[in-house]
Amino acid sequence: PRGYLNARQAAKASAADLPPDTEFVVVKGATHAYFGDYGTQSGDGTATISRADAQDQIQAASLALLEGLAPDR
C-alpha cells in the first residue's frame, strides 16, 4: 500500500551510509507507532506484542547503545 513503511527495506537501502559496525535491533511483533506515542500509523499492520513489551525492548536497546558510547572509566 502507498505510504507503507517497510523498515527492513529502508534499513537495507541506507546500510551503506552507516558505520560498518552498525547493529540493528528487531523488535519482533511491534509496529512503527510503538517507537513513539503518536497513535496508529498507516500501514503498521497488527502488533503481536503489547506496547509495553515493545517499549521495554526499545528502551533496553537504547540504553545499551548509550552505555556503549560512554568512555571507559
Side-chain angles (χ1 to χ4, degrees):
R2 186 170 182 224
Y4 179 75
L5 172 67
N6 186 323
R8 283 197 180 153
Q9 286 178 344
K12 286 180 183 179
S14 64
D17 298 328
L18 300 171
D21 60 344
T22 297
E23 294 181 34
F24 292 90
V25 176
V26 176
V27 182
K28 199 168 194 163
T31 64
H32 180 244
Y34 284 0
F35 287 84
D37 197 9
Y38 41 78
T40 305
Q41 300 296 294
S42 176
D44 264 357
T46 303
T48 58
I49 63 173
S50 71
R51 176 181 293 277
D53 287 345
Q55 289 181 337
D56 284 346
Q57 291 180 54
I58 295 163
Q59 179 183 11
S62 298
L63 289 173
L65 168 69
L66 293 174
E67 288 169 359
L69 298 175
D72 292 333
R73 297 179 202 189

